[in-house]
Structures are given as structure tokens and as C-alpha cells.
């Protein structure tokens, strides 16, 4: 049994294979982009939940200490610790750090 294909048929078959490969790659990229977007939104929701929970915990402890007066030192600590944490977080978030342009390392050591 011999198969004889014309040049046109071979080129058409190659074109179909290239088209299928291109569609497959595009769909894989689209799926990866959708997965990345879903992960990013999940991170934001997770972060928001943790922030709300921590804030509620701080407010609850502060409310408990303020409504049940006891030691002034305890009141000072309960009011100061969240402020110190917030100050640290804001300072780290708003501090601009600059990096000098990285020096290009050459293979083989020394100057040329």
C-alpha cells in the first residue's frame, strides 16, 4: 500500500497542525491567566479577612480592658501595643528603599 500526497496536501496538513498547536497554546495561556487572576483575588480576600479578624481582636481586648478598669499600666499596654504594631507596618510599607543599578558580573573574574 503506497500513500501518495501532493505538495498542496502536505502543506495543508502542516498548516492544520500549526493552527491546532497555536490554538492549544493560546488556550493554555488564557487558562493560566485566569488561574493567576483567581489566585490574586483569593489572596486579597484572604488578606482582608485576616486584617478584619486582627482588628476585631484588638478592639475586643481594648474594649474589655477599658470597660473593666483595673491597672493603669494594663490599660497603657493594651492601647499602646496595637499602635506600635500599626506604626511598624505603616513605616515598612511607606519606606522607600532604593537599590543601585546592579553591577554586571562577568564570567572569568577580573576587569577587562
Amino acid at each position: 500500500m503506497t500513500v501518495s500526497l501532493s505538495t498542496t496536501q502536505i502543506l495543508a496538513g502542516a498548516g492544520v497542525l500549526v493552527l491546532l498547536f497555536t490554538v492549544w497554546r493560546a488556550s493554555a495561556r488564557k487558562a493560566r491567566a485566569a488561574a493567576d487572576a483567581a489566585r490574586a483575588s483569593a489572596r486579597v480576600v484572604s488578606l482582608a479577612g485576616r486584617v478584619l479578624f486582627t482588628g476585631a481582636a484588638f478592639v475586643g481586648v481594648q474594649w474589655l480592658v477599658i470597660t473593666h478598669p483595673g491597672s493603669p499600666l494594663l490599660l497603657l499596654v493594651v492601647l499602646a501595643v496595637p499602635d506600635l504594631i500599626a506604626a511598624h507596618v505603616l513605616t515598612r510599607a511607606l519606606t522607600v528603599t532604593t537599590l543601585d543599578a546592579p553591577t554586571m558580573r562577568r564570567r572569568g573574574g577580573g576587569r577587562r
Side-chain angles (χ1 to χ4, degrees):
M1 176 171 155
T2 60
V3 177
S4 63
L5 297 173
S6 69
T7 307
T8 306
Q9 291 172 331
I10 292 173
L11 289 176
V16 167
L17 288 175
V18 168
L19 180 66
L20 286 173
F21 180 74
T22 305
V23 168
W24 174 70
R25 294 259 320 202
S27 66
R29 285 183 185 149
K30 188 179 277 189
R32 188 177 310 121
D36 289 343
R39 253 184 255 116
S41 65
R43 274 188 227 125
V44 170
V45 171
S46 175
L47 177 63
R50 286 182 286 187
V51 167
L52 289 174
F53 177 76
T54 305
F58 283 163
V59 168
V61 170
Q62 288 175 344
W63 176 81
L64 187 65
V65 169
I66 290 171
T67 57
H68 296 82
S71 167
L73 181 62
L74 179 63
L75 180 64
L76 180 67
V77 168
V78 167
L79 293 176
V81 168
D83 290 338
L84 290 174
I85 293 171
H88 173 72
V89 169
L90 285 173
T91 302
R92 296 251 341 227
L94 299 176
T95 300
V96 177
T97 57
T98 60
L99 296 175
D100 295 332
T103 57
M104 298 295 291
R105 297 192 88 172
R106 295 189 184 120
R107 291 186 184 188
R111 294 181 174 246
R112 295 184 188 190

